[in-house]
């Protein structure tokens, strides 16, 4: 009986079945253990049927072994159907089990179904149906699958596993489950060795303290660090960060953005726009530069504040905003500029420091420093202080004869309904004022000195002047006061510098900034090559579990100065 069974095996399968004697490149499927043999021409014409005895049927083909309970072999076509408890092994690293399999020895293509499980060095792929292409070293499913490795559990409707780069390409309803976060995407490439994910199409990452959305980006799933370069948004603590390229690192509690940035304070409803920004969660701070502007609401009107550099620090109710180097601000009835601005939310005081100047409607005010005070309860302008060398000037809009002027050591102004109502000048005060009657005829020019002056305003013009303590002066007819005597010492009219629109807060350098080129959008790069380079580079910041200063270097511990700022570049296909 043994001789007869062996004869039939030789008849249907050809040359002797010793695997060691087969040429390595032979395309024929070789039988290692045939066990029981039969034929059924009605059901399986031209096929040989093998079933297990005390051990499973075993076949070998070009470096792979297949075990099963039943095998239906079509020797002329060099293919087989395997049924029951199937195990396919390729080398020491790849193993696949399933309930059924079709295998073609000519194309080295296997189609497995019924509880398919593919394992490869620490990775497990589970699906209902899987196509394994041994020639291309690829595995493919389109009926839903689950991948489990040491870091994540990944699911999708469609997936391809590329064995050489150890890369997965997931499509349709991609989901990553991690103990620290979840990720959902329409398309995602995942590298098994590095645990790096590259996202294409709408993608959302949700962690305990953050939420990231992008339509193209990179994420290191081990350390929760990455970037988005298309329609990116990060909800981070009490801020929303948006930009062309946005970087995030959980470990250092740091995020940054490059080009067309918008940072929204969700508590105070303030907004910062710029072309480069950094957010430090631990310090609850924001650093912004490159056409940076802060936008906040005061009395139902937008207040725009600009500087070469903007910095916001402090807790939500204790924010401090600093704008330094060429600082400017604009509100429809109030604007100004100086070297630097400091706004303290807790006190409601805005300080204009170094050569400050403000314009309130037609009134120009200067001094060594200027303070604007906000009523925190009503969120309306309450008062202003001009400290040292206070000088207020307004053009004579009636007769166009010159300028109304008042000066003193200090100036104190009080707002009502968003308009200056009273102005008090104290110490060494002087006034030059053009006086008109009800018919707008010039009565004379008042030129007076005294210890203190109070001016009452109406319709943004001087309604009344009260001289306090020993006034010394007179009202001169126009002809009796020479033109050169109609200006107080220190008079400088700066009307051509006045900020009349929100766009005036930016100069030519701001408007002509050359934006950084974000890699990977217009000209996609070779992600497989970059990933291989990243894995082989021990100093790579992502592999070193560090955070980019650009999107490839360590972030500063404290917000850098403008000269240290370097926009980040993202790299993604």
């Amino acid at each position: 009986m043994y001789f007869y069974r062996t004869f039939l095996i030789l008849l249907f399968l050809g040359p002797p079945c010793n695997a060691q004697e087969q040429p390595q490149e032979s395309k024929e499927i070789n039988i290692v253990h045939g066990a029981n043999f039969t034929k059924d021409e009605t059901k399986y014409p031209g096929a040989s049927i093998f079933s297990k005895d005390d051990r499973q049927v075993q076949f070998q083909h070009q470096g792979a072994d297949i075990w099963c309970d039943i095998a239906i072999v079509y020797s002329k076509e060099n293919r087989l159907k395997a049924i029951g408890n199937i195990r396919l092994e390729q080398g020491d690293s790849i193993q696949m089990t399933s309930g059924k399999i079709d295998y073609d020895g000519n194309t080295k293509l296997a189609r497995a179904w019924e509880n398919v499980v593919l394992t490869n060095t620490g990775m497990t792929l589970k699906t209902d149906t899987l196509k394994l292409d041994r020639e291309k070293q690829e595995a493919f499913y389109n009926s839903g699958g689950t991948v489990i490795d040491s870091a994540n559990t990944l699911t999708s409707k469609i997936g391809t596993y590329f064995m050489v780069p150890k890369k997965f390409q997931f499509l349709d309803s991609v989901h990553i489950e991690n103990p620290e976060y979840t990720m959902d995407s329409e398309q995602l490439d995942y590298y098994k060795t590095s645990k790096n994910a590259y996202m294409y199409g709408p993608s959302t990452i949700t962690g305990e303290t953050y939420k990231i959305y992008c339509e193209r980006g990179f994420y290191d799933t081990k350390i929760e660090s990455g970037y988005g370069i298309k329609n990116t948004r990060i909800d981070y603590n009490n801020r929303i960060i948006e930009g062309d390229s946005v970087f995030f690192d959980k470990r250092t509690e740091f995020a940054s953005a490059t080009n067309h940035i918008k940072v929204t304070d969700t508590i105070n409803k303030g907004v910062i726009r710029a072309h480069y920004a950094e957010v430090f969660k631990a310090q609850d701070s924001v650093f912004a530069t490159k056409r940076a502007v802060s936008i906040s609401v005061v009395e139902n009107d937008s207040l725009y504040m600009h500087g070469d550099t903007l910095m916001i620090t402090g807790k939500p109710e204790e924010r401090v905003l600093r704008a330094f180097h060429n600082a400017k601000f604009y509100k429809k009835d109030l604007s100004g500029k100086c070297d630097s601005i400091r706004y303290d939310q807790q006190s409601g005081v805005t300080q204009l420091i170094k050569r400050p100047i403000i314009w309130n409607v037609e009134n120009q005010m200067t001094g060594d420093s200027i303070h604007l005070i906000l009523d925190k309860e009503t969120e309306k302008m309450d008062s202003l202080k001009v400290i040292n060398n206070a000088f207020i000037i307004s053009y004579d809009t009636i007769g166009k004869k010159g300028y109304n002027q008042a000066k003193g050591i200090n100036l104190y102004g009080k707002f009502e309904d968003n308009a200056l109502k009273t102005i008090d000048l104290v110490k060494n005060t002087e006034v030059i004022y053009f006086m008109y009657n009800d018919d707008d005829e010039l009565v004379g020019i008042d030129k007076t000195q005294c210890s203190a002056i109070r001016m009452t305003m109406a319709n943004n013009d001087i309604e009344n002047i009260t001289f306090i303590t020993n006034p010394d002066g007179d009202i001169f007819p126009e002809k009796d006061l020479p033109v050169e005597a109609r200006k107080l010492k220190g008079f400088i009219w700066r009307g051509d510098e006045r900020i009349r629109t929100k766009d005036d807060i930016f100069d030519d350098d701001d408007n002509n900034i050359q934006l950084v080129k974000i890699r990977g959008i217009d000209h996609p790069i070779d992600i497989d090559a970059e990933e291989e380079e990243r894995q082989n580079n021990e100093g790579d910041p992502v592999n070193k579990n560090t955070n980019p200063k650009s999107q490839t270097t360590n972030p500063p511990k404290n917000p850098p100065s403008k000269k240290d700022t370097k926009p980040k570049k993202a790299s993604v296909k």
Side-chain angles (χ1 to χ4, degrees):
M1 175 61 74
Y2 176 79
F3 174 79
Y4 176 70
R5 187 173 65 189
T6 304
F7 173 77
L8 288 177
I9 292 173
L10 294 174
L11 177 66
F12 285 99
L13 292 183
C17 61
N18 190 330
Q20 294 181 351
E21 296 177 2
Q22 285 296 322
Q24 197 170 14
E25 295 300 318
S26 173
K27 287 188 176 182
E28 294 162 351
I29 301 173
N30 300 315
I31 187 169
V32 176
H33 181 72
N36 301 311
F37 169 79
T38 186
K39 292 177 67 69
D40 186 340
E41 289 295 330
T42 301
K43 193 171 183 180
Y44 303 108
S48 301
I49 304 172
F50 299 90
S51 59
K52 70 175 184 176
D53 48 18
D54 58 338
R55 55 183 282 202
Q56 286 188 297
V57 180
Q58 181 182 356
F59 298 89
Q60 193 176 74
H61 184 249
Q62 294 188 344
D65 289 275
I66 302 174
W67 291 266
C68 62
D69 292 344
I70 300 172
I72 302 165
V73 181
Y74 296 86
S75 56
K76 290 183 179 180
E77 300 173 18
N78 196 31
R79 65 185 179 90
L80 66 82
K81 291 179 178 288
I83 302 171
N85 299 309
I86 299 163
R87 186 171 87 256
L88 183 152
E89 291 185 358
Q90 178 177 301
D92 297 328
S93 60
I94 296 176
Q95 177 176 295
M96 182 175 70
T97 61
S98 65
K100 295 178 181 178
I101 192 172
D102 286 343
Y103 184 76
D104 189 323
N106 298 315
T107 61
K108 298 172 68 173
L109 183 64
R111 177 179 176 272
W113 67 101
E114 290 186 6
N115 299 320
V116 183
V117 179
L118 176 70
T119 59
N120 179 213
T121 57
M123 177 280 299
T124 301
L125 165 61
K126 297 179 180 181
T127 185
D128 180 68
T129 302
L130 184 72
K131 291 182 180 179
L132 176 64
D133 190 331
R134 295 186 56 239
E135 185 68 35
K136 294 181 179 179
Q137 292 290 282
E138 296 176 4
F140 170 79
Y141 65 83
N142 61 5
S143 57
T146 300
V147 174
I148 303 171
D149 66 10
S150 60
N152 304 293
T153 298
L154 307 95
T155 60
S156 69
K157 288 186 178 180
I158 302 171
T160 303
Y161 178 47
F162 303 89
M163 299 179 190
V164 176
K166 296 183 178 179
K167 161 190 168 182
F168 279 95
Q169 185 177 80
F170 296 106
L171 298 170
D172 197 350
S173 305
V174 186
H175 179 76
I176 296 180
E177 193 73 31
N178 183 284
E180 303 297 327
Y181 62 90
T182 60
M183 181 185 299
D184 294 278
S185 179
E186 288 301 305
Q187 180 178 341
L188 184 145
D189 288 358
Y190 180 78
Y191 290 81
K192 187 174 74 68
T193 302
S194 66
K195 308 296 189 291
N196 291 338
Y198 294 84
M199 298 162 283
Y200 308 86
S203 305
T204 302
I205 307 168
T206 305
E208 184 179 352
T209 59
Y210 65 91
K211 184 176 181 180
I212 302 172
Y213 173 86
C214 72
E215 295 176 11
R216 184 173 292 177
F218 162 83
Y219 202 68
D220 186 320
T221 67
K222 302 187 305 299
I223 62 174
E224 298 180 68
S225 177
Y227 54 77
I229 60 171
K230 184 178 180 182
N231 294 335
T232 306
R233 165 178 166 155
I234 299 180
D235 291 60
Y236 192 37
N237 203 15
N238 47 51
R239 290 186 171 95
I240 298 171
I241 308 162
E242 300 168 272
D244 287 359
S245 173
V246 182
F247 172 84
F248 170 81
D249 185 76
K250 178 187 176 182
R251 183 183 63 85
T252 56
E253 298 185 308
F254 172 82
S256 65
T258 302
N259 295 355
H260 302 107
I261 300 156
K262 180 181 179 183
V263 181
T264 304
D265 186 327
T266 58
I267 295 178
N268 296 309
K269 309 303 180 185
V271 172
I272 286 183
R273 294 185 181 273
H275 290 302
Y276 178 76
E278 295 179 347
V279 177
F280 301 82
K281 181 175 178 288
Q283 289 82 21
D284 210 338
S285 64
V286 178
F287 165 88
T289 187
K290 296 188 178 296
R291 209 175 189 270
V293 58
S294 166
I295 307 169
S296 56
V297 177
V298 177
E299 296 176 307
N300 298 318
D301 185 20
S302 294
L303 172 64
Y304 299 84
M305 194 174 298
H306 164 69
D308 292 345
T309 301
L310 293 183
M311 190 181 300
I312 299 179
T313 57
K315 297 177 182 179
E317 302 301 325
E318 301 173 4
R319 300 278 198 229
V320 175
L321 167 63
R322 297 176 179 88
F324 44 92
H325 307 312
N326 194 27
K328 300 175 185 176
F329 72 92
Y330 170 79
K331 187 173 168 285
K332 68 180 181 181
D333 50 13
L334 188 67
S335 63
K337 66 179 185 176
C338 56
D339 179 71
S340 60
I341 297 173
R342 184 184 187 276
Y343 168 65
D344 188 321
Q345 181 183 14
Q346 195 169 24
S347 66
V349 176
T350 299
Q351 295 175 279
L352 281 64
I353 303 164
K354 198 173 181 180
R355 285 199 82 229
I357 179 171
I358 63 173
W359 293 271
N360 174 242
V361 192
E362 299 300 326
N363 301 306
Q364 170 187 299
M365 285 176 264
T366 57
D368 290 355
S369 67
I370 298 176
H371 296 178
L372 297 169
I373 297 93
L374 189 71
D375 187 318
K376 294 191 296 179
E377 292 185 4
T378 63
E379 295 188 346
K380 293 182 178 182
M381 291 300 302
D382 177 78
S383 55
L384 71 86
K385 298 178 182 179
V386 182
I387 310 301
N388 291 330
N389 297 310
F391 209 130
I392 179 169
I393 307 172
S394 64
Y395 182 61
D396 173 21
T397 56
I398 299 175
K400 303 186 186 326
K401 302 289 186 178
Y403 299 88
N404 296 313
Q405 306 152 56
K407 61 180 289 189
I409 300 299
N410 298 323
L411 180 151
Y412 304 97
K414 189 70 175 177
F415 288 89
E416 289 184 14
D417 296 325
N418 203 36
L420 264 178
K421 185 63 176 177
T422 59
I423 297 174
D424 289 309
L425 279 158
V426 297
K427 295 183 181 180
N428 302 330
T429 61
E430 297 181 64
V431 167
I432 290 180
Y433 178 64
F434 290 79
M435 302 179 65
Y436 293 87
N437 61 24
D438 292 340
D439 296 324
D440 290 340
E441 296 172 337
L442 182 63
V443 175
I445 303 172
D446 189 342
K447 187 173 184 180
T448 303
Q449 296 179 345
C450 68
S451 297
I453 298 171
R454 166 163 287 194
M455 293 184 287
T456 303
M457 312 293 288
N459 299 320
N460 300 308
D461 201 356
I462 298 173
E463 182 181 47
N464 186 48
I465 299 178
T466 303
F467 301 98
I468 305 170
T469 312
N470 302 322
D472 180 15
D474 204 348
I475 298 175
F476 296 89
E478 181 181 9
K479 62 182 179 62
D480 293 341
L481 190 66
V483 173
E484 59 271 16
R486 298 177 188 178
K487 292 181 180 178
L488 299 176
K489 185 178 180 181
F491 173 93
I492 300 176
W493 177 246
R494 296 166 64 182
D496 57 342
E497 301 177 40
R498 182 177 172 183
I499 301 168
R500 297 179 180 274
T501 71
K502 62 183 177 63
D503 294 324
D504 288 346
I505 62 177
F506 303 111
D507 57 24
D508 289 342
D509 289 340
D510 295 316
N511 294 326
N512 294 307
I513 288 176
Q514 295 296 315
L515 298 185
V516 174
K517 185 77 171 178
I518 306 299
R519 295 173 58 208
I521 296 181
D522 297 331
H523 303 287
I525 61 176
D526 188 339
I527 295 300
D528 288 343
E530 184 180 79
E531 184 66 21
E532 182 178 2
E533 180 182 350
R534 172 176 281 139
Q535 293 184 34
N536 294 333
N537 179 13
E538 294 183 358
D540 186 275
V542 176
N543 291 342
K544 295 280 285 184
N545 194 19
T546 58
N547 169 55
K549 175 183 178 182
S550 70
Q551 289 183 338
T552 53
T553 58
N554 288 332
K557 294 182 180 178
N558 296 304
S561 65
K562 185 187 177 205
K563 65 180 181 181
D564 296 325
T565 301
K566 184 177 181 181
K568 296 174 170 53
K569 296 181 180 179
S571 300
V572 71
K573 185 175 178 181

